[in-house]
Amino acid sequence: MSNAVKDAVGRYGIWWGGLRAKDPALRGEAAEAAAELEQLGYGAIWLGGNTSAADAAPLIAGTSRIVVGTSIQSIWEHEPADTATAFADLDATHPGRFFLGLGVSHAKSADQYRRPYSALVAYLDGLDAAGLPADRRLLAALGPKTVELARDRAAGSIPYLVTPEHTAYSREILGSAPLLAPELMVVLETDPARARSLARGALAVYLALPNYTNNFLRHGFTEDDLTNGGSDRLIDAVFAWGDESAIRARIDAFREAGADHVALQVVDGEPRDSLPRAAWSRLADLVA
């Protein structure tokens, strides 16, 4: 099962919220960008934010091979039966091209946020009952219990905003078979002050979310690391920045820690609905 998942997504992908193109006027450009990512050799596109099969469908229709996954679909906003139906419809048209990434989101984003782990278990029960196969769903897993769920009831884990140390920790829990595909933010900037400034701009929203800050604290960071936009130590652990050799070394650190696939997110200070195609091309050359 999992070897098929790993073969499908390849070693590297692109994580980007702007490719979901909620505005119909932008969908053509997004589909064009997806086709370019396929030509560049990426194995997967991960749609950032709370996304669904409906967001993936135009990109899949405009390409021939690349896998598209949600990263993540919130369990609070889609009923399991509806999710299974949408998955089945898309998979019938484009077999094997869509993976459902699921997560519990955050208390600030979901009014009904209660007992998130129990809710996720119940959601997976609902997907089972509706016939959505476990080997086509992935969990955005940070804590140990959720990583265990990713091992036992999904094809693997797609953690966001993590370090190589968390990757090694997840791999130990998952074992060798399930997919482990962490997201990694990349700043194509060699000046340390500017690189870290861009990184702090991207990190700010996440430092207000306990799911992420608690995970940092579990893995060796302190409260001081979480203040003033994040310490240099935190920035350098969570982001890849510098020249091409430094960025490649950081990507390799995730691979060496046990990642099967790394989902690269460009951080350049531009709006989240932009399409950093030149940067994607540079990264493709870097990981080729």
Side-chain angles (χ1 to χ4, degrees):
M1 175 185 75
S2 293
N3 284 337
V5 175
K6 294 174 185 179
D7 290 343
V9 302
R11 297 178 65 179
Y12 303 104
I14 288 295
W15 191 106
W16 197 246
L19 284 164
R20 56 182 162 171
K22 297 293 187 182
D23 182 349
L26 300 177
R27 286 178 186 160
E29 185 179 2
E32 182 182 279
E36 184 175 354
L37 290 174
E38 182 173 79
Q39 292 169 0
L40 288 169
Y42 291 107
I45 293 169
W46 304 97
L47 294 176
N50 178 22
T51 48
S52 67
D55 299 306
L59 304 183
I60 292 174
T63 52
S64 61
R65 171 194 55 78
I66 199 166
V67 165
V68 181
T70 52
S71 182
I72 58 168
Q73 179 177 301
S74 171
I75 65 170
W76 310 106
E77 297 193 23
H78 303 268
E79 291 296 327
D82 295 337
T83 294
T85 297
F87 173 89
D89 290 346
L90 184 53
D91 197 55
T93 307
H94 302 283
R97 299 277 311 284
F98 175 65
F99 281 82
L100 177 70
L102 293 169
V104 298
S105 188
H106 305 275
K108 292 184 178 182
S109 305
D111 292 339
Q112 64 272 55
Y113 194 93
R114 302 287 188 280
R115 296 171 54 87
Y117 177 79
S118 296
L120 180 56
V121 170
Y123 200 91
L124 294 174
D125 290 342
L127 293 181
D128 288 344
L132 197 155
D135 63 356
R136 298 289 298 284
R137 62 199 192 205
L138 299 157
L139 303 185
L142 295 178
K145 292 174 65 178
T146 310
V147 179
E148 289 171 357
L149 270 187
R151 177 193 66 202
D152 298 338
R153 302 197 58 187
S157 175
I158 49 170
Y160 186 84
L161 203 65
V162 294
T163 63
E165 291 73 21
H166 183 275
T167 300
Y169 161 86
S170 294
R171 176 53 72 198
E172 183 174 355
I173 296 172
L174 289 169
S176 62
L179 177 73
L180 179 54
E183 173 271 349
L184 173 61
M185 296 190 198
V186 179
V187 185
L188 292 165
E189 173 60 58
T190 58
D191 177 75
R194 171 143 178 82
R196 289 183 176 128
S197 176
L198 286 168
R200 288 189 173 96
L203 185 62
V205 64
Y206 303 112
L207 290 180
L209 299 174
N211 289 5
Y212 293 122
T213 56
N214 290 340
N215 193 55
F216 290 143
L217 295 173
R218 277 196 300 266
H219 290 277
F221 294 98
T222 68
E223 293 286 356
D224 288 343
D225 288 309
L226 308 180
T227 61
N228 300 317
S231 67
D232 285 356
R233 183 169 81 106
L234 179 62
I235 294 296
D236 295 350
V238 175
F239 291 78
W241 64 268
D243 61 19
E244 291 187 352
S245 63
I247 290 173
R248 179 61 200 240
R250 198 66 190 153
I251 295 170
D252 287 346
F254 280 81
R255 296 271 307 168
E256 291 162 5
D260 302 296
H261 173 101
V262 183
L264 304 170
Q265 178 181 182
V266 170
V267 172
D268 57 7
E270 295 299 316
R272 288 176 176 265
D273 60 354
S274 65
L275 297 173
R277 294 165 72 167
W280 292 339
S281 181
R282 285 182 63 188
L283 286 176
D285 291 337
L286 191 152
V287 301

